[in-house]
Amino acid sequence: MNQLGNFTKGFLKENPVFVMLLGMCPTLGVSTSAINGIGMGLATTFVLVGSNVVVSLIKDLIPDKVRIPSYIVVIASFVTIVELVMQGFMPALFAQLGLFIPLIVVNCIVLGRAEAFASKQSVGSSAIDGLGMGLGFAFALGILGSVREVLGSQSLFGFKLLPGDGMLVFVLAPGAFIALGYLIALIRKA
Amino acid sequence: MEYVIIIIAAVFVNNIVLAQFLGICPFLGVSTKVGTATGMSMAVLFVITLATIVTWLVQTLVLDPLGLGFLQTITFILIIAALVQMVEIILKKVSPSLYQALGIFLPLITTNCAVLGVAILVVQKDYNLLQGVVFAVANALGFGLALLIFSGIREHLELMDVPRRMRGVPIALLTAGILALAFMGFAGLV
Amino acid sequence: MAKRESSFKNMVITLLSVTGIAALSLGGVYNLTREPIAEAQKAKLQQAIGEVLPPFSELEEHEAMPADGPDPLVFYVARNADSIVGTAVRTYTDRGFSGRFTIMVGFLPDGTIHNTAVLEHKETPGLGDKMDIRKAPWSEQFRGKNPAEYRLQVRKDGGDVDAITAATISSRAFCDAVQRAYDTQQQKGGEKQ
Amino acid sequence: MKQLTISGSPHVHGQDTIRGLMYGVVLAMVPAMLVSVYFFGLDAVRVMLISVGACLLFEFLIQKYLLKGPVSITDGSAVITGILLSFNVPSNLPWGILLIGALVAIGIGKMSFGGLGRNIFNPALVGRVFLLISFPVQMTTWPIPRPIVAEGITDAITGPTPLGILKEGLRKGESLQDLSSQLPDYLTTLMGNHGGCLGEVSAIALLIGAAYMLVRRIITWHIPAAYLGSVVLFSGIFWLIDPTYYADPLFHLLTGGMILGIFFMATDYTTSPMSPSAQLVYGAGAGIITMIIRIWGAYPEGVSFAILIMNAVVPLLDRGLKPRRFGEAIKAQ
Amino acid sequence: MDQTVLFALLSLGTLGTGSAVILYFVAQRFKVIEDPRIDVVNELLPAANCGGCGYAGCRNFAEAIVKNESLEGLNCPVGGNEVMQRIAAALGLEAEMADPLIAVVRCSGSHEHAPQKVKYEGASSCAFAHNLYAGESGCPFGCLGLGDCVVSCDFDAIYIDGSTGLPVVDIRCVACGACVKACPRGIIELRPKGKKDRRIYVSCVNEEKGGPARKNCAVACIGCGKCVKVCAFDAIRLENNLAWIDPKKCTLCRKCVAECPTDAIHELNFPPRKPRGEEAAAPETQTQLS
Amino acid sequence: MGGVHPPEQKLTAGKAIEVLPVPSVLSIPLGQALGAPSRAVVAKGDAVKAGQLIARGEAFISANIHSPVSGKVLKVDEVIDTSGYRKPAISIQTEGDEWMDGIDRSPELVRECLLNQEAIVARIKEMGIVGLGGATFPSHVKLMVPGGKKVDTLIINGVECEPYLTSDHRLMLERTEEVLIGTTILMKGLGVSKALIGIEGNKPDALEALGRLAGAYPGISVHALKVKYPQGGEKQLIRALTGREVPSGRLPLEVGCVVNNVGTAFAVYEAVQKNKPLVERVVTVTGKSLTRPGNFLVRIGTPVSALIEAAGGVPESTGKVINGGPMMGKALTSLDVPVVKGTSGILLMDDTSSARVEVEPCIRCSRCVSVCPMGLEPYLLALLSANEAWDRVETGRAMDCIECGSCQYTCPSGRPLLDHLRLGKARVGQIIRNRRN
Ligand SMILES: Cc1cc2nc3c(=O)[nH]c(=O)nc-3n(C[C@H](O)[C@H](O)[C@H](O)COP(=O)(O)O)c2cc1C
Ligand SMILES: Cc1cc2nc3c(=O)[nH]c(=O)nc-3n(C[C@H](O)[C@H](O)[C@H](O)COP(=O)(O)O)c2cc1C
Ligand SMILES: Cc1cc2nc3c(=O)[nH]c(=O)nc-3n(C[C@H](O)[C@H](O)[C@H](O)COP(=O)(O)O)c2cc1C
Ligand SMILES: Cc1cc2nc3c(=O)[nH]c(=O)nc-3n(C[C@H](O)[C@H](O)[C@H](O)CO)c2cc1C
Ligand code: SF4
Ligand code: SF4
Ligand code: SF4
Ligand code: SF4
Ligand code: FES
């Protein structure tokens, strides 16, 4: 597969959220606004690229039976780095994303990519794959975040589009499920 | 009374799946049959309780005294991963019948945010060990309740001619959304 | 792809080295970010105090137990040169819609509220969170009011405070927190414990 | 003789049809509709028309253009949804919000699942709860009923519902005795001269409709009886424990959407269980949840939530509580 | 070294080693689980999961192939020879060349040929109608036209022709056999596609004697045996008053077609015959090409 | 439990039984009784007398068939049966009216039964008696109680809960004593001392007639039952009369009961006391548009068209001709089919009243559940069957369904519930059989 393909497949064809239905918790949990969604997406992208690169670097050194734990350690390290850096330099966003930052560790996308792609491919491809997937994730979260923000508080990226409050449901949990459900129905080819 | 409040809060008011968005992947993944959903709930109950105890001990006995709070994510996930596999081995040896019932779900649980999420929440909420365990059990029950109800609905929907585009995940998300909406009625109970 | 074989030795060595490297790099990053994190946390507090008090040069911190609460309040007494310009009180309430929330209230020496700021809360976005000045101008009504004559209760309950629409519970709780700060400050604010 | 027709038995059909049943329910709601027009005037007419019209329109549009299937808006179910949705909102609700409610009820609550008979949740209640949570202010501003025979219809004055008064007062620490002066008496609640949604003000009008449905066998007694019984039992126990804090069962029965919920919404065929035993459990469950929310929850009213929650459990109830089989012994293989 | 880093190293190291030890024992217990070749084969299969191969889904078929160590008798109708060839290459085996098959509807009891005598009302399902009665034309063997075969086809390859009331198979058919199983009357048969898509077959499954058969349907096979006699290749069998042409023996000579007094034998995709009077009208086309 | 109240429409309740003239050609299917088809013992061209054995039931569950007329065997071939399929049958050309020796065709009552238990069963078997209540189960098999089972009650089914049908009703009125004697014989054949006759409360005259005479017959009591369809179903009847419930998948024997139709009791009387095989039966020919509906005593093998002719001919508006009642009867594809032992009525319905209503989605109104006399969930079984979830159809006890049609009758959505259920039963039955083998 060419590198461009590696990069773009994450956006629609193999979009981790809309098509592969991975990483649902952060998707639903932090998509209350476009900014939050994209922030979370970027944090995940960083972890994805980092762990993909490292995994593809060390793939030949790892015995099969400790593959998963080793990958988990690698991933967890990158997550912790994100955690610390965000805490230090973006405390407001960190407070918003809260629990979901450490939970990137268990996001199936990350481990899935490490397993399915990085452990078989070259460093370059893996990096691009990670970037593509991560941005695809960020893209999906951005969309969902925008939808929820527009419907829920009638604003986008913090700018008020209309006066008033919007439909509160979309800021809360039920709205997250409902909005994502319709987005997937809309995007899927049926 | 304190424990009752913790339980009601975790099961109904802040249901782990419907309000906190943890463990959505298995919630969507293993909820197509009531039987599997029951098995999964049992497995999650077991693992969450065990993991919470161990991680709480590690946090208070090792990480806190040594000032290693930042290693929380990486140690917790390693512990959970190792624990799940250990449980698998022991279960297989001690009770093959139980293994048959729960074993297949165990690998799924490693990458389930609910387990890591609850472990971290217990630490964040400054619970003591007993409170932590009650909280963990209550959350697992909340997970089980949501999963059970949900699997019943999905099994039912299987037989209904839901519009093509909505079939499967979209309608499941929509149902989860309305379920979350209904659960909001419990707001303010605690 | 010449994978290494899964011998016991290999496994242990691999995991040991992977965790080792992870520990080393994380320790490193931690050391690098330790300062900024502490800074960021302090900045947040500083900013909150700055918001609720007039400009000051020194700050002095102490705690006091309120008459009707389980946990102590934190007092930040601000001085300019020698004169006290005001006291910021970190107070809380347990009567919020979703449990406890903490706010910072700045009192001028005569007991007048200078300003308020919300530190932490779990109230519902779109409803209760309107008490945060960043979300809605609701809390402006407290500025310049002296609880001595200003009844810190929502109008529904016979007070002077306009409740946030559809979030009376949060509004009530907010008043409760401010009242607690005021009472405690009046009784024990001056003295150190 | 023309061609003979072949089909499996039976060769005759009873007189029940979907339309017959649905319009029977509509007929049963007429008394309550009239009462609401009496108390809320043209506003009530406006709300009901918009709601029913919008429900029909959305169902039509979705069936025709999204599902591209047969259009069945004349079967009466959307009319019921429309009426019940309007019964569940205050009479001064802006039309925009009402449209959203109808769209949610029909679009999300019903058609997304495939339409009549496939939905899990009561569409009207999905619409109502969605609105309640999205627009708490507008949904809880109750105009005070002023019979149209009364002098001059001016701007409506708003006032709280009996349950709102109760919850608010208790939260402030007042006792029931203190509150009793503000609470309407039983006769008022029965006739409907108190604050509330369109369809929940007059218990007597609703009861007339309920009796009609029972007599015509549109609904059976199981769900209403279990619901009613559990509410009376639950509130009765607490009332006996502390009558200064807990209101009596009659108060609970006559206020809020209790009667409406018990007879018209909990009984919705599609979203209630099939076997008599499951129906009893369903009704009792809804009653208990209603009382839990009313007594301890943040919301003064819990009927909508309780029914929705029990709707979710229906598949499990259907699975677990089967009708009593003739000859229970298990077949020998 | 900084103290924090040291502690971190120590605690994580211990944890890592501990996990390694545990996992080692896990590894001891779970020896090789699955043949990796299964995945390879699975990848090559078309993932239609139609069951046409006779196994429950593509993955099961892949397992069977790997376990079998030979491709004899195994065929994926959807992927056809091409896929089997590729699998053979991947596994270093010989693929058996299977003749490509297609579904053939062996009934011509259209509204015109087998007029409707009674009207059916009820669940639209051949299986149910078959249990209930003989059919609208009265032919107890013929197509009921309620489309169970259409419903069963995952490839949209079969549909009911409104004017005849009979199912028609088009080129999308991959010979998965789902319709064969679905038809309660055993009307559909998988037959070799034939050279240039040319096929000759008896389009009738009626086992009644000539008289009763013709009473209901003008184009029924009456079991007269003329075709058997005319066939030079011994390709036609007559059993229970019904002729069947063995595609393995049939050379597509078309002699029988002309011989059949009821036009029950169909020829498909042949060039038009030299005009020989009324014979010019070709039997209805059952497979649409293009 | 369950049940429905379809309009009764007993148009012919007051019409006395008429004897239908013997047709010139009869065709007698070989598979008339439940179980294995009988084997023909005559060949083309043979001359037969009325009452002569023409086909023997050889399997354990199968019954003898006798010629209803005297004449010549035209052919032993296939004829179209009620559903349009071809089934083996014997065609006979009527010639004269010659009966076998020993058959007593006089109307005299013979009260005393001199045969012992075994001889009774043997006679019933010989005379080809099958259940006339619809299922045509060979009656002698019912009397042969397997060892280890204890039967204490004989139940005579005079319910006739199907709308329109009146043949049993007329029989009870016009052959009251014969029915009672037949019952006594059946009691003796079974070796029981108690017989309960169950009759729906809407036939007071039959209740009165039987009740009046029953006193003279020890052990026999007559009971009025609630008017409810399907009160006449074997299991429902047993419960209504004795309070016992036949366990799922078991026979009435399990609860010590044997059920026989009143027509069967009459046929048993004729077989045992008069040596007459089962060659004719009472058939109700009815329908709102018929000019002369009535109850006819008909030879087995008479074409349905002859019956309708006797009742005034086929009205132009006829849409359906049903063999049996409107709830359980089978629609006929042709009027040439013969009357068989199990034909209790011929019902003509016009297009409008027999047309199915438009099918709409199930609204889960639970009416089908509440009317099902077997406590099943028809909506679910139909849904599962449509989804081909045969295992769940089986665990949902589809095999318990007695195909009474109450569910489909009552469904406001007009769903073809019983259509799906029958298919489900057929499939599940196959699966169970395969599993056993
Ligand atoms: C999901 C949900 C969130 C809510 N959040 C808040 C909140 O944050 N603050 C609050 O005061 N009330 C909250 N409420 C409670 C209701 O809005 C409640 O009706 C209101 O506070 C009562 O005030 P009122 O006197 O204005 O009716 C919430 C209710 C729900 C269902
Ligand atoms: C396979 C089979 C075996 C039966 N065996 C007996 C039997 O031994 N004794 C008996 O009294 N009835 C027996 N029956 C008859 C049934 O109890 C029942 O009377 C008969 O099926 C007709 O019932 P229905 O008209 O209600 O359908 C048997 C039925 C079947 C199908
Ligand atoms: C739904 C249903 C209704 C029935 N109604 C009658 C009835 O009204 N009268 C009757 O004699 N048999 C009726 N039967 C048949 C009886 O179940 C039973 O087979 C018969 O009484 C046995 O007697 P037999 O073997 O003498 O026919 C009905 C069966 C079913 C399944
Ligand atoms: C007795 C009865 C009660 C009904 N109750 C409701 C109701 O509460 N809400 C609603 O949207 N539709 C109601 N309907 C209409 C219809 O059944 C409902 O929209 C279905 O859920 C649509 O599938 C009712 C119908 C009947 C017959
Ligand atoms: S027509 Fe029949 S054989 Fe061909 S693809 Fe469809 S179901 Fe399979
Ligand atoms: S070919 Fe068979 S399955 Fe297809 S419509 Fe005809 S009878 Fe039905
Ligand atoms: S399921 Fe069977 S037994 Fe039950 S009502 Fe329907 S036809 Fe009668
Ligand atoms: S009677 Fe009809 S509509 Fe009602 S539940 Fe049964 S199948 Fe559904
Ligand atoms: S992202 Fe939470 S369980 Fe998968």
Side-chain angles (χ1 to χ4, degrees), chain A residues 100-172:
Chain A
F100 288 102
I101 290 289
L103 290 183
I104 294 175
V105 167
V106 279
N107 188 326
C108 325
I109 304 170
V110 183
L111 192 61
R113 280 287 117 187
E115 261 283 278
F117 199 92
S119 66
K120 297 185 182 124
Q121 304 275 348
S122 71
V123 179
S125 305
S126 303
I128 288 176
D129 173 74
L131 195 63
M133 278 290 157
L135 293 180
F137 187 60
F139 168 73
L141 261 66
I143 297 226
L144 183 60
S146 308
V147 169
R148 289 181 64 187
E149 192 177 347
V150 169
L151 291 176
S153 39
Q154 309 199 345
S155 60
L156 189 59
F157 292 103
F159 296 109
K160 212 75 188 151
L161 300 177
L162 286 169
D165 274 347
M167 288 179 260
L168 247 181
V169 167
F170 285 99
V171 184
L172 305 172

Side-chain angles (χ1 to χ4, degrees), chain D residues 22 25 77 80-81 84 110 115-117 119 122-124 219 264-265 267-271:
Chain D
M22 293 294 169
V25 178
S77 65
I80 299 185
T81 305
L84 283 173
K110 185 172 174 191
L116 180 64
N119 48 320
N122 189 320
I219 57 173
F264 290 87
M265 309 213 281
T267 50
D268 173 22
Y269 299 146
T270 304
T271 56

Side-chain angles (χ1 to χ4, degrees), chain C residues 121-139:
Chain C
H121 78 90
K122 297 196 283 279
E123 302 296 276
T124 316
L127 284 178
D129 74 344
K130 285 192 184 150
M131 65 191 179
D132 193 333
I133 192 76
R134 279 164 297 193
K135 295 277 155 90
W138 176 79
S139 61

Side-chain angles (χ1 to χ4, degrees), chain E residues 4 42 47 56 61 78 95 150 166 178 183-184 195 205 217 240 259 267:
Chain E
T4 326
N42 199 30
F61 185 49
V78 180
V150 177
L166 292 169
C183 179
K195 282 191 209 84
V205 289
C217 178
N240 299 323
E259 197 64 27
E267 51 173 29

Side-chain angles (χ1 to χ4, degrees), chain F residues 65-302:
Chain F
I65 297 174
H66 303 78
S67 175
V69 292
S70 60
K72 206 170 78 205
V73 175
L74 279 180
K75 55 184 177 181
V76 180
D77 197 4
E78 297 188 321
V79 296
I80 295 173
D81 75 351
T82 48
S83 52
Y85 289 111
R86 278 170 191 284
K87 292 288 158 60
I90 297 172
S91 299
I92 296 174
Q93 172 87 51
T94 314
E95 286 166 8
D97 190 21
E98 210 179 317
W99 285 73
M100 290 291 282
D101 302 335
I103 297 179
D104 173 6
R105 296 174 64 223
S106 69
E108 263 104 87
L109 267 186
V110 184
R111 288 184 200 273
E112 215 55 42
C113 172
L114 304 168
L115 301 181
N116 66 6
Q117 187 173 355
E118 264 166 46
I120 289 176
V121 175
R123 178 69 61 83
I124 289 176
K125 177 174 180 183
E126 192 193 326
M127 294 295 146
I129 310 296
V130 301
L132 298 184
T136 63
F137 188 80
S139 300
H140 65 275
V141 181
K142 280 199 193 178
L143 299 183
M144 301 189 309
V145 181
K149 293 280 189 299
K150 184 95 190 66
V151 172
D152 57 13
T153 311
L154 169 70
I155 290 174
I156 296 298
N157 190 342
V159 175
E160 200 154 59
C161 52
E162 271 269 10
Y164 288 99
L165 300 189
T166 56
S167 54
D168 288 352
H169 185 184
R170 291 312 305 179
L171 207 57
M172 289 187 283
L173 284 180
E174 299 179 28
R175 306 281 199 278
T176 319
E177 293 251 11
E178 287 89 336
V179 167
L180 286 168
I181 299 169
T183 306
T184 317
I185 298 170
L186 281 168
M187 286 163 70
K188 195 167 172 190
L190 260 179
V192 300
S193 55
K194 190 169 76 176
L196 310 172
I197 301 181
I199 300 171
E200 254 185 347
N202 59 357
K203 296 185 248 309
D205 45 357
L207 274 165
E208 197 270 337
L210 275 169
R212 183 159 38 82
L213 296 177
Y217 297 86
I220 300 183
S221 55
V222 179
H223 302 263
L225 296 170
K226 225 167 112 183
V227 182
K228 182 173 81 172
Y229 177 87
Q231 191 66 277
E234 184 169 66
K235 295 183 174 177
Q236 283 64 39
L237 185 61
I238 293 175
R239 188 172 61 183
L241 288 173
T242 67
R244 305 175 193 166
E245 267 185 32
V246 181
S248 166
R250 300 294 174 82
L251 293 170
L253 283 179
E254 203 76 20
V255 292
C257 293
V258 164
V259 182
N260 277 299
N261 172 257
V262 286
T264 314
F266 177 69
V268 163
Y269 162 80
E270 290 205 312
V272 174
Q273 305 295 72
K274 307 230 160 192
N275 218 13
K276 185 175 161 197
L278 182 54
V279 293
E280 54 187 5
R281 68 157 298 154
V282 181
V283 179
T284 304
V285 182
T286 181
K288 279 187 231 164
S289 45
L290 272 178
T291 47
R292 248 174 47 74
N295 302 295
F296 300 92
L297 185 65
V298 186
R299 302 281 168 94
I300 305 296
T302 308

